[in-house]
Amino acid sequence: MSATTLSVRNLTKTIKKHKVIKGISFELKEGEVFGFLGPNGAGKTTTIRMLVGLIRPTSGTIEICGYDVKKNFTKAMANLGCIVENPELYPYLSGTDNLLHFARMLPSVDAKRIAEVVDMVKLTERIDDKVKTYSLGMRQRLGIAQALLNRPKVLILDEPTNGLDPAGIRQMRVFIRELAEKEGLSVLVSSHLLSEIQLLCDRVAIITKGNIITVDTVESLLSSQEQAIWQLDPSVKGREILESLTEVTTLDDGYMVTPYDSTQIPKWNAALVHAGVQVLQLNRKIPVLEDLFLQLTDTGGAHIE
Amino acid sequence: MNNLILNEMMKLVARKRLLVIGAIVGILVILFTFAQYKEVQTQREKLGSDDWRASLQQQIIDMQNRLGSSRISDDWREQIQVSVQQLQFYLDQDINPSEPGAVTFVRMFIENSSDLFIPLLIMIVASDLVSSEHTLGSVKLLLTRPVKRWRILLSKYITLLMATSLIVAMTGLLSYGLSGIVFGYHGWNAPIITGFLVDGGDVDTSSIRLISQWKFVLMDFGLVWFVAVVVGTLAFMLSVLIRSTAASMGVMLAALISGAILNNMVSSWESAKYLFMVNLKLTNYLNGVAPPITGMTLFSSMSVLLVWWAAALVLSFFVFTRQDVY
């Protein structure tokens, strides 16, 4: 079992008598990429800002590598690298000066380390140009270089693929996975691109209306939601038979959806064939995170209100 | 801490703010030098001589004529009476109150710019020192580094103090250097009279002293620097409280301009003397100009400014270290 690098317990935030975050707890382990998913206004950004010390939590604790963010701010921050929303560096300074600026705020970062991170994010050619001449992708990379200066144990990236083209998104994904696997960083990523999270993260937390609804590995979240899709003839009789065996939802176009259970599917099939119903199609559907997300945040939201 | 100040300086220099301020001062000095030069010329033509005694005499006569008019207010009448008595005193002592030369120009320039122009220049730097980080969004990176918030704010404040000193010094050097081309670089040891005690429309000359102009200019600069620091600190506070640069500049500008207007009309509203903006013209106390409200002294004005300064500083640090950043 690898070590816990970030631990959040019973975090709440009340803004003007309105409870925005209602008691969030989760942990990050060394070397894992953790996804933070939620619709707009769910409290993702507020939570992330509390993690990095920009907003004071109303109650609850946040520990980074064992240091409490409130009581031991500097030690906690020494182990953290982050980009909150866009990497807003100083446009009127060059890339080097920006890195120098933030390096001066860290205890032991020398010119060698600066060159190292520039090399890591592949910005060596343009690093002496003013940041205002950079493309969004280059700014994003410079932001990450800045976040890596202090060799953090925990990296928090808010929407890291925002505004990148498909090639850039892919590079970013490979880069983040490398950091987690080779350097053992814990990476917390928030994104609205669910397909990205699905490809990138080991575990995800789904957050809506200030609560975490579920925290699980991507695989087990998805496999619990696998479905079988049937096309039957005659469909009315077929549905009656299936309904007597399991839960069935009928789609608009006449397809029927049942849960996927590899031990039961052959038996249901046999029952249908036995009753003279033709099975025209039977598909196993592995859901994408998006379906799951919509399903969870819709129903999850309804009973909280 | 040194590293943090270095950072702030780097940002200040990269934005070329000080260069802009230098250019503004330079242009204004050239403008005023030319105006002054023209004035001297017309006076010479009018009086037919360049003897300062004749021109001083003429000035006194002009003022006395104005006193004869029935349409001027009591305040204004008192002020003119004071000026007449002072000029007469200079004439009696055979001392030229505006000995031509770069040093006199510097003295005039700094005295006239202490309540509006210099504060304006300081505002260019102070108003967005903190709020620009909010506007850019870089505050989110700045405050998530392993450095306590009060240290970040302190580094910004020290940078402001250094910039303030630099701006005041730059104003002095530029006005000396540029006006000297026309008026000559002399006047350091010209005698200046200070210590007039003004009471209503009367001038008490019992405690006056004669000092060299360079000493006087030095005192002027000390007072102007003090005012600049106080105004800078207030603008700095607004920059912390109001996260928009334009808004904080607007508020500060309104305060300064209202101060200039109030100075002319608050003589009967006594509690106005606790407002910082009517206390900015500290150099007037050295020259013996009647204060806007009777009872105000150099000491009381400096105390009022000091209280405002301390309050602004405490509030800035309190808010900055506790506020939530969205």
Side-chain angles (χ1 to χ4, degrees), chain A residues 218-291:
Chain A
V218 175
E219 291 87 49
S220 69
L221 265 179
L222 294 180
S223 63
S224 70
Q225 298 289 327
E226 276 181 297
Q227 294 170 325
I229 297 179
W230 308 76
Q231 191 190 9
L232 306 171
D233 186 45
S235 62
V236 180
K237 191 177 173 196
R239 181 163 67 234
E240 280 166 12
I241 295 167
L242 274 182
E243 273 172 347
S244 67
L245 296 165
T246 180
E247 242 178 85
V248 183
T249 31
T250 310
L251 302 177
D252 295 340
D253 50 8
Y255 289 88
M256 276 158 262
V257 181
T258 66
Y260 183 89
D261 183 341
S262 56
T263 59
Q264 294 300 311
I265 291 280
K267 292 178 188 166
W268 299 341
N269 188 38
L272 286 166
V273 172
H274 192 70
V277 176
Q278 293 183 54
V279 179
L280 302 178
Q281 270 191 60
L282 169 53
N283 285 319
R284 173 183 175 192
K285 189 188 174 204
I286 300 168
V288 286
L289 206 46
E290 187 174 318
D291 299 333

Side-chain angles (χ1 to χ4, degrees), chain A residues 13 15 46 49 52-56 73-75 77-78 80-93 97-98 100-107 130 143 146-147 149-150, chain B residues 1-17 132-149 151-152 156 321-326:
Chain A
K13 176 70 185 177
I15 300 174
T46 309
R49 288 185 182 214
V52 300
L54 288 174
I55 299 182
R56 290 167 167 252
F73 180 77
T74 46
K75 283 202 169 131
M77 288 303 131
L80 176 92
C82 66
I83 303 179
V84 180
E85 287 175 337
N86 303 313
E88 281 124 340
L89 295 136
Y90 300 103
Y92 48 80
L93 295 178
D97 282 346
N98 264 295
L100 196 62
H101 176 275
F102 290 105
R104 286 195 189 121
M105 300 181 76
L106 299 164
K130 288 247 168 27
Q146 172 277 132
L149 275 175
N150 57 337
Chain B
M1 189 46 94
N2 282 343
N3 272 338
L4 294 179
I5 296 170
L6 210 60
N7 274 345
E8 294 306 324
M9 274 299 176
M10 179 171 80
K11 287 185 264 182
L12 197 65
V13 170
R15 279 187 299 170
K16 305 191 174 70
R17 285 293 151 86
S132 74
E133 303 273 0
H134 281 282
T135 322
L136 270 180
S138 47
V139 69
K140 287 178 284 185
L141 291 174
L142 208 59
L143 298 184
T144 54
R145 305 288 80 202
V147 178
K148 289 230 164 73
R149 284 192 187 185
R151 294 176 75 95
I152 291 173
K156 282 188 176 292
T321 50
R322 300 182 65 87
Q323 75 187 162
D324 284 348
V325 178
Y326 295 100

Side-chain angles (χ1 to χ4, degrees), chain B residues 266-302:
Chain B
V266 287
S267 57
S268 46
W269 173 26
E270 210 190 316
S271 48
K273 67 182 174 196
Y274 299 113
L275 296 172
F276 80 90
M277 53 270 204
V278 298
N279 286 296
L280 296 180
K281 205 110 175 93
L282 293 181
T283 50
N284 274 358
Y285 294 110
L286 295 183
N287 287 320
V289 177
I293 299 162
T294 13
M296 281 168 70
T297 62
L298 179 60
F299 180 74
S300 81
S301 280
M302 285 183 85

Side-chain angles (χ1 to χ4, degrees), chain A residues 37-40 192 194 206-208 213-214 221-222 225 285 287-302:
Chain A
L37 269 181
N40 290 338
H192 64 278
L194 294 135
I206 295 183
I207 172 173
T208 183
I213 309 174
T214 176
L221 265 179
L222 294 180
Q225 298 289 327
K285 189 188 174 204
V288 286
L289 206 46
E290 187 174 318
D291 299 333
L292 179 67
F293 172 72
L294 291 174
Q295 199 184 334
L296 283 171
T297 51
D298 272 343
T299 54

